[in-house]
Amino acid sequence: QVQLVESGGGFIQPGGSLRLSCSASGSIYRFDSMGWYRQAPGKERERVAIITISGFKNYADSVKGRFTISRDNAKNTVYLQMNSLKPEDTAVYYCKALLSRTQGLIDSYWGQGTQVTVSS
C-alpha cells in the first residue's frame, strides 16, 4: 500500500535550481534506500542519486557537485537539491524506494515521475 508522492519539478533556465521532494505514504517502515532516477526522451532510465538509511550517498558522475540528495528517515521523505542545472538535466525524474522484507526479499516502489525541463 506504499505510494510515493513527488513534487518540485518544473521549467527552469540553465544555471537555475530546483528541489525535488518525494514522500512515502501508507507505510510505517523506514526504507533501506531511497533515490532519484531520471529518463530523458529516447533514452534509458538512469540512476541520479541514492541515499541509504544510514546516510551514505552515491551520485551519478554527471551530477556530482551540482546535486545533493538528503533524507528524513522519520518521514520517509527524500529530497534532491539540483543546482547549476543544465539542458542535459531535462528528464522525467522518478523517486524510488527499497524495503527489505524477509528471506532476502526486497520490495521496490516507484513514484509517478515529475518533469524537469531546463531550457532558455
Side-chain angles (χ1 to χ4, degrees), residues 89-110:
D89 294 319
T90 295
V92 177
Y93 284 70
Y94 298 90
C95 178
K96 183 181 181 180
L98 299 178
L99 176 65
S100 295
R101 305 295 289 182
T102 184
Q103 299 182 6
L105 298 177
I106 300 177
D107 289 344
S108 300
Y109 304 93
W110 287 92

Side-chain angles (χ1 to χ4, degrees), residues 2-74:
V2 174
Q3 184 174 2
L4 303 182
V5 181
E6 301 154 310
S7 63
F11 187 95
I12 195 167
Q13 294 182 341
S17 298
L18 287 174
R19 191 189 192 212
L20 305 182
S21 299
C22 173
S23 297
S25 62
S27 176
I28 65 172
Y29 305 108
R30 294 183 177 182
F31 295 98
D32 298 279
S33 69
M34 302 183 75
W36 292 94
Y37 295 69
R38 67 186 182 187
Q39 186 169 18
K43 301 182 65 176
E44 295 183 349
R45 188 173 300 185
E46 64 175 345
R47 188 170 69 179
V48 176
I50 60 170
I51 182 170
T52 69
I53 193 171
S54 60
F56 291 99
K57 305 173 183 179
N58 184 267
Y59 298 93
D61 290 340
S62 59
V63 306
K64 287 182 179 178
R66 299 187 299 118
F67 290 10
T68 302
I69 190 170
S70 60
R71 175 176 179 172
D72 185 332
N73 290 332

